[in-house]
Amino acid sequence: MHIQDLLDAARAGVLPSEEAAIALADCEDTKALASVAATLRDRGCLNLITYSKKVFIPLTHLCRDVCHYCTFAQTPKTLNSPYMPLDRVLDVARKGAEMGCKEALFSLGEKPELRHTVAREALAEMGYETTLQYLRDAAATVLEETGLLPHLNPGTMTPEEIASLRPVSPSMGIMLESASDRLTEIGMPHYGSPDKLPSVRLQTLRDAGAANIPFSTGILIGIGETRRERIESLLAIRELHEAHGHIQEIIIQNFRAKPNTAMHRSPEPALTELLWTIAVTRILFGAEMSVQAPPNLSPGAFGQIIAAGINDWGGVSPLTPDFINPEAPWPHLEELARETELAGKHLHERLTIYPAYAQNLNKWVDAGLKTRILKLIDAEGLPRTDDWSAGEDRSPPVDVLAGIATVPARVSGDLVTILDRAKAGRDLDETDVIRLFRARGDDFNAVVQAANDLRRKANGDVVSFVVNRNINYTNICYFKCQFCAFSQGKYSENLRGRPYDLSLDDIQRRTRAAWMRGGSEVCMQGGIHPEYTGQTYIDIVKAVKAAVPEMHVHAFSPLEVWQGAASSNLGLEGYLEQLKQAGLSTLPGTAAEILDDEVRAVICPDKIDTSQWFEVMETAHEVGFKTTATIMFGHVDRPKHWARHLLRIRALQKKTGGFTEFVPLPFVHMQAPIYLKGKARRGPTFREAMLVHAVARLALNPYITNIQASWVKLGRTGVVAALNAGCNDLGGTLMNESITRAAGAAHGQETSPQQMRELIQSANRTPRQRATDYGDADPAAIARGMGTGGLAG
């Protein structure tokens, strides 16, 4: 195959065959290779360059191998202690945790006890037979005591040794370095090193794949290998990855000559060799593979390395040196971020386990590690980098707030195309919407600002709200939704408060009180009480209308409607007609959570499914009801689920026009059963919360023009930020919000009309009190609401 044809095919996403890959060894056009590699990298990794903030823990410098370029391995007489004592290991790990590190990289020589008597004696004194036994306990202790995630580089291992280390380490690694047997011959760098035999190292990689362990590997260039041998080494890795899918990164490490080694006079590879190898690696592995080059080994060349196709800098420590290359200090993270930004990319932290593997923990990590990792990650599997959570009284992260207001310097070309389509009112597809949700750095700024431009075009600078009262008539529920901290079972008095069931008199009293305080709406939802029938809901509506005939009744989730219809034997349409005759005005689009059955099977398996939710909504629209639509996100869901949810809402809106607004509801995790069981993330990050609001505006344009922000979930500062990210409505003043409070939120149960106006004005917007259907509020209701005090009960 002609090289240009090969590169054209690679650019189109076709991985080169083995024959075509070998042909690349004769390609001298590094610039052409890098152009294809950068295109592929951008396709798979967008504008992100990642790194892991870590500490390096050299558990032992003893090794049975004698690689001719290595200064890490030392002889017993040069060491004060054969092994790093556990208290010293913990001291380093604790200091790293205090500095924000999330990974503890354990580096060590290969099975030194097989060569050194002093190693065997030291292990025996500590109560171990092997170095890997001590490694296991050291990693377990670091994990328990500091929370740092261990990444282990113990060298070659048997399947049994791999299995023993899996419970204490979400990822491991071994550098293949080279698959060339020639490098193990006399006079070559791996001569006399039994663990550097390519067949032995490849077997460890193969066994790790069989054990479903995310693995790091790579090649060392400049130690006497040819370009063809590099490609053959990469192909050997690719073959194993195609079989098991476990190679999470390919490291391209350039040889550095070191004093006091056999290769101290050997020439180091030129920068062009490094760039050539990075580009070829990207082409051989495609868009999705992580390709890494250590930044400390190539100072001053960051931009060129990025242009060659990397997406990761590897581990960078603010505390410990690179013990493998001690002569090469780490760049400061501020410098790395600046250089990465100058290359048009956004630097973001990652965990030792890469995002794709962190999103599939059931397969890729030991069960005992799942909860720890879930608490650390966002919906894409990258680490949370702030302490904000929905419902908590914490300030949003400064960098996200700044991004909402800062004009982006450089926006990814594919994102610009999607945003232009969204602003023109053209329908986005699932791939487009997922791309919007993945926006970070300047891309994030561009998404939220495009959403805000659409908001301004559709709604001007007016922000609306409704004065309403929540009446949650019962918290008794026979469903077992894993996200809900509000509902109570029959025997739950000692869990989250006492069960209750309001009488019709109580509902009427609360309705009258709401009316006297300026409320124009009662919003009513509750648990699914086992004794409720369809008639119960009809009686509740009639009770409200008997108490205050003018009150707008916004009530009953699709789940309640489904249950009511099932018990009434009327069918959905007939039952909804009865509710309408009783006085029901509009329906809340709750019980939606995530409208994708893949997620619902985890968080609410006994609840109505996606198709049933839409059946209720479509029938309600056909009967003449207007409804809202919601999403509750940030638990076990991912961007693809958010995208599907939005597009399904859009499809029904195009058909019926029955949705008045879309309401994103960030998951409040604190008291949620699924979180307390260690099976969910701790809600969305603030960036994700802003994106869901912004992307909803873009994806639903022009079909739904009201995007609401929840002050209960976001807090005052968060709400103002959302108003600058595409939102135009703040929902209701609530009076007795119960459901979010039960989940652990701290932002209050009520806000007054005056406070709502002040909040909106603080965002330089014009407040507008509205009716539920977005018409103007009754002036008499506005007057009643002014100057009222707190709610008595």
Side-chain angles (χ1 to χ4, degrees), residues 193-223:
S193 300
D195 298 295
K196 291 303 173 76
L197 291 171
S199 60
V200 174
R201 298 182 86 74
L202 287 169
Q203 187 60 49
T204 293
L205 283 166
R206 184 176 295 108
D207 293 337
N212 290 335
I213 295 177
F215 231 67
S216 300
T217 190
I219 61 174
L220 180 61
I221 70 167
I223 56 173

mmCIF file of all heavy atoms in Angstrom, residues 193-223:
data_model
loop_
_atom_site.group_PDB
_atom_site.id
_atom_site.type_symbol
_atom_site.label_atom_id
_atom_site.label_comp_id
_atom_site.label_asym_id
_atom_site.label_seq_id
_atom_site.Cartn_x
_atom_site.Cartn_y
_atom_site.Cartn_z
ATOM 1 N N SER A 193 19.135 -10.070 31.867
ATOM 2 C CA SER A 193 17.926 -9.666 32.596
ATOM 3 C C SER A 193 16.786 -10.621 32.229
ATOM 4 O O SER A 193 16.103 -10.426 31.214
ATOM 5 C CB SER A 193 17.552 -8.224 32.246
ATOM 6 O OG SER A 193 18.589 -7.334 32.590
ATOM 7 N N PRO A 194 16.564 -11.652 33.025
ATOM 8 C CA PRO A 194 15.586 -12.678 32.654
ATOM 9 C C PRO A 194 14.159 -12.147 32.510
ATOM 10 O O PRO A 194 13.375 -12.697 31.747
ATOM 11 C CB PRO A 194 15.688 -13.700 33.796
ATOM 12 C CG PRO A 194 16.309 -12.951 34.936
ATOM 13 C CD PRO A 194 17.233 -11.958 34.316
ATOM 14 N N ASP A 195 13.842 -11.094 33.238
ATOM 15 C CA ASP A 195 12.474 -10.569 33.163
ATOM 16 C C ASP A 195 12.264 -9.670 31.951
ATOM 17 O O ASP A 195 11.133 -9.233 31.693
ATOM 18 C CB ASP A 195 12.144 -9.781 34.431
ATOM 19 C CG ASP A 195 12.210 -10.670 35.664
ATOM 20 O OD1 ASP A 195 11.389 -11.593 35.751
ATOM 21 O OD2 ASP A 195 13.093 -10.457 36.514
ATOM 22 N N LYS A 196 13.324 -9.370 31.204
ATOM 23 C CA LYS A 196 13.186 -8.539 30.011
ATOM 24 C C LYS A 196 13.037 -9.378 28.737
ATOM 25 O O LYS A 196 12.992 -8.824 27.643
ATOM 26 C CB LYS A 196 14.385 -7.588 29.891
ATOM 27 C CG LYS A 196 14.406 -6.504 30.982
ATOM 28 C CD LYS A 196 13.118 -5.684 30.989
ATOM 29 C CE LYS A 196 13.032 -4.725 32.147
ATOM 30 N NZ LYS A 196 13.863 -3.541 31.982
ATOM 31 N N LEU A 197 12.970 -10.680 28.896
ATOM 32 C CA LEU A 197 12.655 -11.495 27.729
ATOM 33 C C LEU A 197 11.266 -11.119 27.222
ATOM 34 O O LEU A 197 10.291 -11.120 27.992
ATOM 35 C CB LEU A 197 12.677 -12.986 28.084
ATOM 36 C CG LEU A 197 14.056 -13.574 28.414
ATOM 37 C CD1 LEU A 197 13.905 -14.986 28.965
ATOM 38 C CD2 LEU A 197 14.941 -13.572 27.166
ATOM 39 N N PRO A 198 11.130 -10.743 25.969
ATOM 40 C CA PRO A 198 9.822 -10.295 25.459
ATOM 41 C C PRO A 198 8.694 -11.285 25.714
ATOM 42 O O PRO A 198 7.588 -10.891 26.071
ATOM 43 C CB PRO A 198 10.080 -10.105 23.965
ATOM 44 C CG PRO A 198 11.528 -9.763 23.875
ATOM 45 C CD PRO A 198 12.183 -10.594 24.945
ATOM 46 N N SER A 199 8.960 -12.576 25.568
ATOM 47 C CA SER A 199 7.904 -13.568 25.767
ATOM 48 C C SER A 199 7.386 -13.557 27.199
ATOM 49 O O SER A 199 6.185 -13.743 27.448
ATOM 50 C CB SER A 199 8.420 -14.962 25.410
ATOM 51 O OG SER A 199 9.521 -15.317 26.230
ATOM 52 N N VAL A 200 8.283 -13.301 28.162
ATOM 53 C CA VAL A 200 7.893 -13.285 29.576
ATOM 54 C C VAL A 200 7.027 -12.055 29.866
ATOM 55 O O VAL A 200 5.993 -12.143 30.540
ATOM 56 C CB VAL A 200 9.148 -13.294 30.482
ATOM 57 C CG1 VAL A 200 8.759 -13.140 31.943
ATOM 58 C CG2 VAL A 200 9.938 -14.575 30.266
ATOM 59 N N ARG A 201 7.446 -10.904 29.341
ATOM 60 C CA ARG A 201 6.693 -9.672 29.605
ATOM 61 C C ARG A 201 5.335 -9.709 28.891
ATOM 62 O O ARG A 201 4.321 -9.277 29.438
ATOM 63 C CB ARG A 201 7.514 -8.450 29.193
ATOM 64 C CG ARG A 201 8.797 -8.335 29.985
ATOM 65 C CD ARG A 201 9.617 -7.115 29.659
ATOM 66 N NE ARG A 201 9.223 -5.928 30.408
ATOM 67 C CZ ARG A 201 9.495 -5.731 31.690
ATOM 68 N NH1 ARG A 201 10.114 -6.669 32.412
ATOM 69 N NH2 ARG A 201 9.147 -4.606 32.291
ATOM 70 N N LEU A 202 5.325 -10.217 27.691
ATOM 71 C CA LEU A 202 4.062 -10.320 26.972
ATOM 72 C C LEU A 202 3.109 -11.285 27.661
ATOM 73 O O LEU A 202 1.882 -11.091 27.642
ATOM 74 C CB LEU A 202 4.311 -10.752 25.520
ATOM 75 C CG LEU A 202 4.926 -9.675 24.617
ATOM 76 C CD1 LEU A 202 5.389 -10.281 23.299
ATOM 77 C CD2 LEU A 202 3.929 -8.542 24.366
ATOM 78 N N GLN A 203 3.644 -12.320 28.300
ATOM 79 C CA GLN A 203 2.769 -13.252 29.015
ATOM 80 C C GLN A 203 2.111 -12.567 30.211
ATOM 81 O O GLN A 203 0.935 -12.820 30.515
ATOM 82 C CB GLN A 203 3.552 -14.479 29.481
ATOM 83 C CG GLN A 203 2.680 -15.577 30.094
ATOM 84 C CD GLN A 203 1.636 -16.095 29.108
ATOM 85 O OE1 GLN A 203 1.950 -16.423 27.968
ATOM 86 N NE2 GLN A 203 0.379 -16.162 29.555
ATOM 87 N N THR A 204 2.863 -11.715 30.899
ATOM 88 C CA THR A 204 2.265 -10.953 32.001
ATOM 89 C C THR A 204 1.148 -10.053 31.492
ATOM 90 O O THR A 204 0.076 -9.963 32.098
ATOM 91 C CB THR A 204 3.333 -10.118 32.722
ATOM 92 O OG1 THR A 204 4.254 -10.988 33.391
ATOM 93 C CG2 THR A 204 2.707 -9.187 33.754
ATOM 94 N N LEU A 205 1.382 -9.394 30.374
ATOM 95 C CA LEU A 205 0.337 -8.564 29.775
ATOM 96 C C LEU A 205 -0.877 -9.403 29.388
ATOM 97 O O LEU A 205 -2.032 -8.979 29.567
ATOM 98 C CB LEU A 205 0.884 -7.852 28.542
ATOM 99 C CG LEU A 205 1.788 -6.641 28.793
ATOM 100 C CD1 LEU A 205 2.517 -6.243 27.522
ATOM 101 C CD2 LEU A 205 0.980 -5.474 29.324
ATOM 102 N N ARG A 206 -0.624 -10.583 28.866
ATOM 103 C CA ARG A 206 -1.718 -11.475 28.459
ATOM 104 C C ARG A 206 -2.515 -11.935 29.691
ATOM 105 O O ARG A 206 -3.762 -11.917 29.680
ATOM 106 C CB ARG A 206 -1.146 -12.666 27.705
ATOM 107 C CG ARG A 206 -2.189 -13.620 27.140
ATOM 108 C CD ARG A 206 -1.527 -14.717 26.314
ATOM 109 N NE ARG A 206 -0.865 -14.161 25.127
ATOM 110 C CZ ARG A 206 0.457 -14.070 24.959
ATOM 111 N NH1 ARG A 206 1.277 -14.508 25.920
ATOM 112 N NH2 ARG A 206 0.969 -13.548 23.861
ATOM 113 N N ASP A 207 -1.826 -12.304 30.749
ATOM 114 C CA ASP A 207 -2.497 -12.757 31.964
ATOM 115 C C ASP A 207 -3.282 -11.631 32.622
ATOM 116 O O ASP A 207 -4.355 -11.868 33.195
ATOM 117 C CB ASP A 207 -1.467 -13.333 32.945
ATOM 118 C CG ASP A 207 -0.834 -14.627 32.446
ATOM 119 O OD1 ASP A 207 -1.461 -15.305 31.604
ATOM 120 O OD2 ASP A 207 0.289 -14.945 32.884
ATOM 121 N N ALA A 208 -2.762 -10.420 32.561
ATOM 122 C CA ALA A 208 -3.501 -9.272 33.111
ATOM 123 C C ALA A 208 -4.788 -9.048 32.342
ATOM 124 O O ALA A 208 -5.827 -8.698 32.923
ATOM 125 C CB ALA A 208 -2.632 -8.019 33.071
ATOM 126 N N GLY A 209 -4.740 -9.243 31.038
ATOM 127 C CA GLY A 209 -5.949 -9.118 30.237
ATOM 128 C C GLY A 209 -6.982 -10.157 30.612
ATOM 129 O O GLY A 209 -8.176 -9.855 30.731
ATOM 130 N N ALA A 210 -6.531 -11.385 30.820
ATOM 131 C CA ALA A 210 -7.449 -12.449 31.214
ATOM 132 C C ALA A 210 -8.077 -12.166 32.576
ATOM 133 O O ALA A 210 -9.197 -12.597 32.858
ATOM 134 C CB ALA A 210 -6.716 -13.783 31.233
ATOM 135 N N ALA A 211 -7.350 -11.426 33.419
ATOM 136 C CA ALA A 211 -7.846 -11.098 34.756
ATOM 137 C C ALA A 211 -8.650 -9.796 34.781
ATOM 138 O O ALA A 211 -9.069 -9.348 35.849
ATOM 139 C CB ALA A 211 -6.667 -10.983 35.726
ATOM 140 N N ASN A 212 -8.862 -9.176 33.626
ATOM 141 C CA ASN A 212 -9.622 -7.915 33.536
ATOM 142 C C ASN A 212 -9.023 -6.825 34.422
ATOM 143 O O ASN A 212 -9.706 -6.209 35.241
ATOM 144 C CB ASN A 212 -11.089 -8.132 33.910
ATOM 145 C CG ASN A 212 -11.839 -8.934 32.872
ATOM 146 O OD1 ASN A 212 -11.469 -8.955 31.704
ATOM 147 N ND2 ASN A 212 -12.897 -9.602 33.296
ATOM 148 N N ILE A 213 -7.749 -6.567 34.209
ATOM 149 C CA ILE A 213 -7.084 -5.500 34.951
ATOM 150 C C ILE A 213 -6.675 -4.401 33.979
ATOM 151 O O ILE A 213 -5.938 -4.665 33.011
ATOM 152 C CB ILE A 213 -5.838 -6.024 35.686
ATOM 153 C CG1 ILE A 213 -6.261 -7.035 36.762
ATOM 154 C CG2 ILE A 213 -5.062 -4.886 36.326
ATOM 155 C CD1 ILE A 213 -5.127 -7.656 37.501
ATOM 156 N N PRO A 214 -7.124 -3.168 34.180
ATOM 157 C CA PRO A 214 -6.642 -2.064 33.345
ATOM 158 C C PRO A 214 -5.126 -1.967 33.461
ATOM 159 O O PRO A 214 -4.592 -1.841 34.569
ATOM 160 C CB PRO A 214 -7.344 -0.839 33.947
ATOM 161 C CG PRO A 214 -8.548 -1.388 34.638
ATOM 162 C CD PRO A 214 -8.119 -2.722 35.173
ATOM 163 N N PHE A 215 -4.445 -2.020 32.314
ATOM 164 C CA PHE A 215 -2.995 -2.141 32.341
ATOM 165 C C PHE A 215 -2.342 -1.049 31.525
ATOM 166 O O PHE A 215 -2.828 -0.668 30.455
ATOM 167 C CB PHE A 215 -2.577 -3.507 31.781
ATOM 168 C CG PHE A 215 -1.640 -4.264 32.684
ATOM 169 C CD1 PHE A 215 -2.067 -4.743 33.902
ATOM 170 C CD2 PHE A 215 -0.326 -4.492 32.310
ATOM 171 C CE1 PHE A 215 -1.205 -5.449 34.736
ATOM 172 C CE2 PHE A 215 0.539 -5.190 33.126
ATOM 173 C CZ PHE A 215 0.108 -5.676 34.347
ATOM 174 N N SER A 216 -1.218 -0.556 32.054
ATOM 175 C CA SER A 216 -0.389 0.412 31.343
ATOM 176 C C SER A 216 0.841 -0.308 30.806
ATOM 177 O O SER A 216 1.414 -1.173 31.481
ATOM 178 C CB SER A 216 0.048 1.536 32.291
ATOM 179 O OG SER A 216 -1.067 2.208 32.818
ATOM 180 N N THR A 217 1.232 0.050 29.613
ATOM 181 C CA THR A 217 2.452 -0.513 29.039
ATOM 182 C C THR A 217 2.999 0.470 28.027
ATOM 183 O O THR A 217 2.449 1.558 27.846
ATOM 184 C CB THR A 217 2.194 -1.890 28.408
ATOM 185 O OG1 THR A 217 3.447 -2.502 28.081
ATOM 186 C CG2 THR A 217 1.337 -1.790 27.154
ATOM 187 N N GLY A 218 4.071 0.097 27.375
ATOM 188 C CA GLY A 218 4.655 0.994 26.393
ATOM 189 C C GLY A 218 6.022 0.528 25.960
ATOM 190 O O GLY A 218 6.455 -0.590 26.288
ATOM 191 N N ILE A 219 6.695 1.379 25.218
ATOM 192 C CA ILE A 219 8.014 1.026 24.702
ATOM 193 C C ILE A 219 9.025 2.095 25.091
ATOM 194 O O ILE A 219 8.675 3.264 25.315
ATOM 195 C CB ILE A 219 7.997 0.826 23.175
ATOM 196 C CG1 ILE A 219 7.583 2.118 22.449
ATOM 197 C CG2 ILE A 219 7.076 -0.323 22.801
ATOM 198 C CD1 ILE A 219 7.689 2.021 20.927
ATOM 199 N N LEU A 220 10.261 1.673 25.192
ATOM 200 C CA LEU A 220 11.383 2.557 25.474
ATOM 201 C C LEU A 220 12.166 2.714 24.186
ATOM 202 O O LEU A 220 12.619 1.720 23.606
ATOM 203 C CB LEU A 220 12.263 1.955 26.580
ATOM 204 C CG LEU A 220 13.494 2.743 27.013
ATOM 205 C CD1 LEU A 220 13.101 4.108 27.581
ATOM 206 C CD2 LEU A 220 14.289 1.944 28.050
ATOM 207 N N ILE A 221 12.312 3.933 23.707
ATOM 208 C CA ILE A 221 12.961 4.137 22.413
ATOM 209 C C ILE A 221 14.365 4.700 22.601
ATOM 210 O O ILE A 221 14.644 5.426 23.543
ATOM 211 C CB ILE A 221 12.124 5.049 21.495
ATOM 212 C CG1 ILE A 221 12.124 6.496 22.012
ATOM 213 C CG2 ILE A 221 10.706 4.532 21.369
ATOM 214 C CD1 ILE A 221 11.572 7.501 20.993
ATOM 215 N N GLY A 222 15.249 4.308 21.682
ATOM 216 C CA GLY A 222 16.613 4.813 21.703
ATOM 217 C C GLY A 222 17.608 3.912 22.383
ATOM 218 O O GLY A 222 18.720 4.339 22.704
ATOM 219 N N ILE A 223 17.239 2.641 22.624
ATOM 220 C CA ILE A 223 18.152 1.723 23.313
ATOM 221 C C ILE A 223 18.766 0.714 22.346
ATOM 222 O O ILE A 223 19.295 -0.320 22.766
ATOM 223 C CB ILE A 223 17.439 0.984 24.459
ATOM 224 C CG1 ILE A 223 16.201 0.231 23.953
ATOM 225 C CG2 ILE A 223 17.049 1.952 25.574
ATOM 226 C CD1 ILE A 223 15.553 -0.656 25.017
#
